[in-house]
Amino acid sequence: LKSFVPAENWSSILDQSADDVAQQIREDNVDILVDLAGHTAGNRLDVMALKPGTLQFTYIGYPNTTGLKSIDFSITDAIADPLDSKQQFAEELVRLPGCFLCYSPPTRTPEVDWRGHLNGLVT
């Protein structure tokens, strides 16, 4: 992501306290704050819990609820989270049409050698 943002607009928050990061987000007048980590390593849900963004979303990092009422919306789809699901979410679900995960395989891939099955090995 860093390569898409002008250097003067990029801030590293790795070693900052949640309060300091939340204050910076407020000072920067961030209207829409999107969490891309969920409950994965290195997440900053501690910042999201402080509700520094006007609207807060979670997307892609963890396909389940964050459990935080401070996050307004979770971006998902009807496959991962069917309309009749009994799963409880702290966030309101925003279902994208089709699949909420985007993947494009590389245009250049090496040839695959399928000889492993000849000796009974799965490789």
Side-chain angles (χ1 to χ4, degrees), residues 1 34-45 48 57-66 71 73-76 80-81 89 91 100-102:
L1 291 176
V34 181
D35 159 59
L36 298 176
H39 286 285
T40 61
N43 75 68
R44 292 308 305 259
L45 291 177
M48 300 296 279
F57 287 78
T58 186
Y59 172 63
I60 215 163
Y62 183 73
N64 205 325
T65 185
T66 62
I71 298 180
F73 302 98
S74 178
I75 300 172
T76 187
D81 294 298
F89 283 81
E91 313 84 3
F100 81 109
L101 301 171
C102 301

Side-chain angles (χ1 to χ4, degrees), residues 1-114:
L1 291 176
K2 188 175 182 178
S3 64
F4 295 104
V5 178
E8 66 271 11
N9 294 337
W10 183 267
S11 298
S12 177
I13 62 170
L14 293 175
D15 296 324
Q16 294 184 32
S17 72
D19 288 328
D20 288 346
V21 174
Q23 183 60 37
Q24 184 65 55
I25 291 168
R26 289 185 191 101
E27 289 173 8
D28 289 343
N29 295 311
V30 174
D31 292 318
I32 300 173
L33 188 61
V34 181
D35 159 59
L36 298 176
H39 286 285
T40 61
N43 75 68
R44 292 308 305 259
L45 291 177
D46 56 341
V47 174
M48 300 296 279
L50 298 172
K51 187 72 170 158
T54 306
L55 285 176
Q56 297 192 160
F57 287 78
T58 186
Y59 172 63
I60 215 163
Y62 183 73
N64 205 325
T65 185
T66 62
L68 296 176
K69 294 187 184 291
S70 59
I71 298 180
D72 303 296
F73 302 98
S74 178
I75 300 172
T76 187
D77 62 42
I79 296 167
D81 294 298
L83 293 172
D84 62 350
S85 174
K86 303 294 187 228
Q87 170 70 35
Q88 294 182 0
F89 283 81
E91 313 84 3
E92 180 179 336
L93 300 182
V94 177
R95 291 180 178 88
L96 298 178
C99 184
F100 81 109
L101 301 171
C102 301
Y103 172 75
S104 296
T107 56
R108 293 181 49 204
T109 57
E111 290 296 318
V112 177
D113 184 349
W114 296 102

